[in-house]
Amino acid sequence: MVHRKFVFVFNSMDEALTFIEAITNKIKSKELLIRYDVGNGIRVWVSMQGEPHEIELYSMEIKRAYNDIKLMRGKFGVRTYDISLILSKARLSAAMPIDLIIDLLHIKGINAELNGSKIRVVGDIKLEDLVNLVERISNIYNELINVDVSAQAKRIITLYSLLMNRDIKDSIRDLLDKGLLSRYGDTDLIVLSMDYKHALSKLQEITESRSNAY
């Protein structure tokens, strides 16, 4: 049996709790012990024991989780978030495309990109902000489960609903009136009237014109 101990320092209690949640989700071992102390700074002690190969794998996961926390603090104005951490904290009511967050942030004028399993954001976007967005997108996708819409149309409806603070029925009606959506032939299926990239540009124009109206 091998025994190993780590000590990590955090800037806030939120960071420490996020770290603890991350490693307890990834490491399912009765030999993992965690304690924290806020007396002189926020420190988390992690100790474990097991077979050498197990300890090596656990150590890698723990270090990776701590590195994810450091990336979330931001460097040169860029914050990096692990998608698995966002999804583990979010209460999802339906499956949703994670890259839709990037489209939403772009329309809001926020520089963001999806890079493998990470989301990189330029600006003061915190973990809880992304978790909230994921939950809101998931809720809308849940409402659209029984609505006859194409996958691309579903994305645009969701974005419009969030950006304009409209419910699903009103969003669909608005988008039909504005020409972004249409009925497919003689069916009830709702589809995009243009390619997805063009629809995103139209949404950007709608959002900007609304902002200029106030």
Side-chain angles (χ1 to χ4, degrees):
M1 295 288 281
V2 175
H3 183 269
R4 191 169 296 179
K5 181 184 291 184
F6 297 95
V7 181
F8 299 99
V9 180
F10 296 92
N11 291 345
S12 68
M13 198 62 211
D14 280 344
E15 279 190 358
L17 292 176
T18 298
F19 170 74
I20 292 170
E21 181 181 352
I23 62 174
T24 52
N25 282 338
K26 290 179 179 178
I27 301 175
K28 305 298 183 183
S29 171
K30 295 178 181 178
E31 304 302 327
L32 180 70
L33 299 175
I34 302 171
R35 68 182 180 88
Y36 63 87
D37 180 14
V38 296
N40 184 21
I42 301 169
R43 286 179 168 80
V44 174
W45 282 263
V46 181
S47 61
M48 55 190 171
Q49 64 179 17
E51 297 300 322
H53 69 279
E54 290 178 320
I55 297 302
E56 193 62 34
L57 288 174
Y58 293 162
S59 297
M60 289 172 60
E61 288 289 355
I62 290 167
K63 290 174 182 176
R64 187 179 295 119
Y66 183 63
N67 188 54
D68 286 343
I69 298 295
K70 290 196 296 181
L71 290 171
M72 285 163 46
R73 294 172 184 165
K75 187 175 183 181
F76 306 117
V78 179
R79 296 172 185 264
T80 304
Y81 300 94
D82 190 275
I83 292 171
S84 64
L85 180 59
I86 296 170
L87 294 178
S88 70
K89 294 180 76 67
R91 295 184 296 272
L92 300 179
S93 51
M96 41 78 67
I98 194 69
D99 64 314
L100 199 55
I101 298 174
I102 305 300
D103 293 337
L104 179 61
L105 293 174
H106 283 173
I107 294 175
K108 287 174 169 285
I110 298 168
N111 190 347
E113 67 173 3
L114 191 62
N115 191 327
S117 63
K118 310 282 186 186
I119 291 177
R120 290 196 176 96
V121 185
V122 178
D124 191 24
I125 305 295
K126 296 181 172 57
L127 176 62
E128 54 265 31
D129 298 325
L130 293 177
V131 170
N132 179 258
L133 284 179
V134 166
E135 290 179 343
R136 292 175 67 191
I137 291 172
S138 176
N139 287 339
I140 293 174
Y141 263 68
N142 187 51
E143 291 182 49
L144 286 168
I145 285 176
N146 296 317
V147 181
D148 200 8
V149 295
S150 69
Q152 297 288 62
K154 189 178 292 187
R155 293 172 71 100
I156 293 299
I157 293 166
T158 301
L159 291 171
Y160 183 87
S161 177
L162 289 171
L163 291 163
M164 308 301 283
N165 196 28
R166 302 277 278 171
D167 65 27
I168 298 305
K169 288 184 178 179
D170 288 340
S171 293
I172 292 174
R173 184 173 62 248
D174 289 352
L175 291 167
L176 286 168
D177 290 343
K178 294 177 186 298
L180 275 77
L181 299 180
S182 60
R183 303 280 180 182
Y184 184 70
D186 296 327
T187 70
D188 290 329
L189 176 65
I190 297 172
V191 297
L192 283 186
S193 302
M194 60 197 74
D195 65 87
Y196 182 68
K197 189 172 289 187
H198 191 191
L200 286 178
S201 297
K202 289 290 186 183
L203 273 186
Q204 181 91 51
E205 292 173 10
I206 292 169
T207 304
E208 289 174 354
S209 63
R210 184 197 187 203
S211 299
N212 293 333
Y214 290 97

